Amino acid sequence: LHRQILIAELPGHNKNKYINDSLVKFSRKVYLFIRRNKIREITFFAHSLGGIIPIILVKNFIKKKIKIRKFINYEGNLTKYDTETLTKKTVSYEKSEFIMNKFQNLIKKCLNSEKKSLKLWGDSLLKTSPSAFYDLSKECVKISETNELLNFFRIFFKRKVYVYGEKTQIKSSEYFFGSVRCKIRDAGHFSFLENKEEFGRTFWRLI
């Protein structure tokens, strides 16, 4: 059985060029790639904001001819509570103020933090377009205001796993996401950087 791992980086992230792509536009590009390459079977592994992409794909683009084997959601945005910490604060500023001032302050705070996870996130932000961060945050807040994402995750995806880092505070009950939950030890939101060995074992087991 031949399988490939395809990584779709969000617009303006990891030094990718940002050309004002929305989450829906980006999802359509992913779909066109899937169709052009005649991919017929997919396992989604999505992290953080990227957790919205498989839902947009399935709701708007992917048809029955393409089989979704499983959706593995690693602390992906599914509810309005997932945007409480930073995303909503980001869009509380005017875009110009955030780009000129607040974004750099955020990076400095992360890099100067004693927490490993925040330092790692600061490194990630250095490779991110401030305009992309703001625009996608704004869209994420809007999409997450209702329970639509969570309900779709619960009902549509028959085989699904919610993954989270041991250091992440999950306040919801074990059955909240309607799926199996998988905890990655000694890690938080960035276990693929914080604890690569444990993340690797978990990833291959779930895939």
Side-chain angles (χ1 to χ4, degrees), residues 149-162:
L149 292 172
L150 177 62
N151 289 338
F152 199 86
F153 179 74
R154 282 173 169 168
I155 297 168
F156 181 86
F157 297 98
K158 305 304 180 187
R159 299 183 66 208
K160 52 188 175 288
V161 183
Y162 187 84

Side-chain angles (χ1 to χ4, degrees), residues 6-163:
L6 304 172
I7 302 174
E9 293 280 4
L10 288 170
H13 288 61
N14 201 25
K15 297 183 178 180
N16 275 349
K17 185 178 180 181
Y18 181 59
I19 50 174
N20 297 319
D21 268 343
S22 67
L23 293 174
V24 174
K25 287 180 181 178
F26 176 69
S27 298
R28 184 175 184 275
K29 288 181 179 179
V30 173
Y31 166 67
L32 291 175
F33 176 88
I34 292 169
R35 193 175 71 174
R36 186 165 56 246
N37 289 276
K38 299 180 180 179
I39 297 171
R40 293 288 177 257
E41 192 171 301
I42 302 172
T43 294
F44 288 117
F45 188 103
H47 173 251
S48 196
L49 176 61
I52 296 176
I53 302 300
I55 295 176
I56 294 176
L57 271 169
V58 171
K59 284 186 66 178
N60 297 282
F61 303 111
I62 289 180
K63 307 303 178 185
K64 292 181 180 180
K65 291 182 180 180
I66 300 173
K67 179 182 178 182
I68 309 301
R69 292 186 65 251
K70 187 188 293 185
F71 182 9
I72 305 162
N73 187 314
Y74 180 10
E75 295 189 20
N77 290 93
L78 293 173
T79 74
K80 62 182 180 180
Y81 304 109
D82 295 322
T83 65
E84 293 288 348
T85 305
L86 178 67
T87 315
K88 281 186 178 178
K89 186 174 182 180
T90 294
V91 299
S92 68
Y93 302 109
E94 291 294 329
K95 183 176 179 179
S96 57
E97 181 185 5
F98 180 78
I99 291 173
M100 296 297 294
N101 185 18
K102 301 299 181 181
F103 187 67
Q104 290 303 319
N105 290 342
L106 174 61
I107 292 175
K108 288 177 184 177
K109 286 181 180 179
C110 290
L111 294 177
N112 292 330
S113 173
E114 294 181 359
K115 294 183 177 180
K116 184 179 179 181
S117 59
L118 287 178
K119 285 182 178 291
L120 291 169
W121 196 42
D123 290 335
S124 175
L125 290 175
L126 287 170
K127 305 171 189 175
T128 303
S129 156
S131 184
F133 189 89
Y134 185 91
D135 290 345
L136 297 184
S137 292
K138 188 172 184 178
E139 190 176 3
C140 177
V141 169
K142 183 179 179 179
I143 294 174
S144 302
E145 276 301 305
T146 68
N147 287 325
E148 187 176 350
L149 292 172
L150 177 62
N151 289 338
F152 199 86
F153 179 74
R154 282 173 169 168
I155 297 168
F156 181 86
F157 297 98
K158 305 304 180 187
R159 299 183 66 208
K160 52 188 175 288
V161 183
Y162 187 84
V163 179

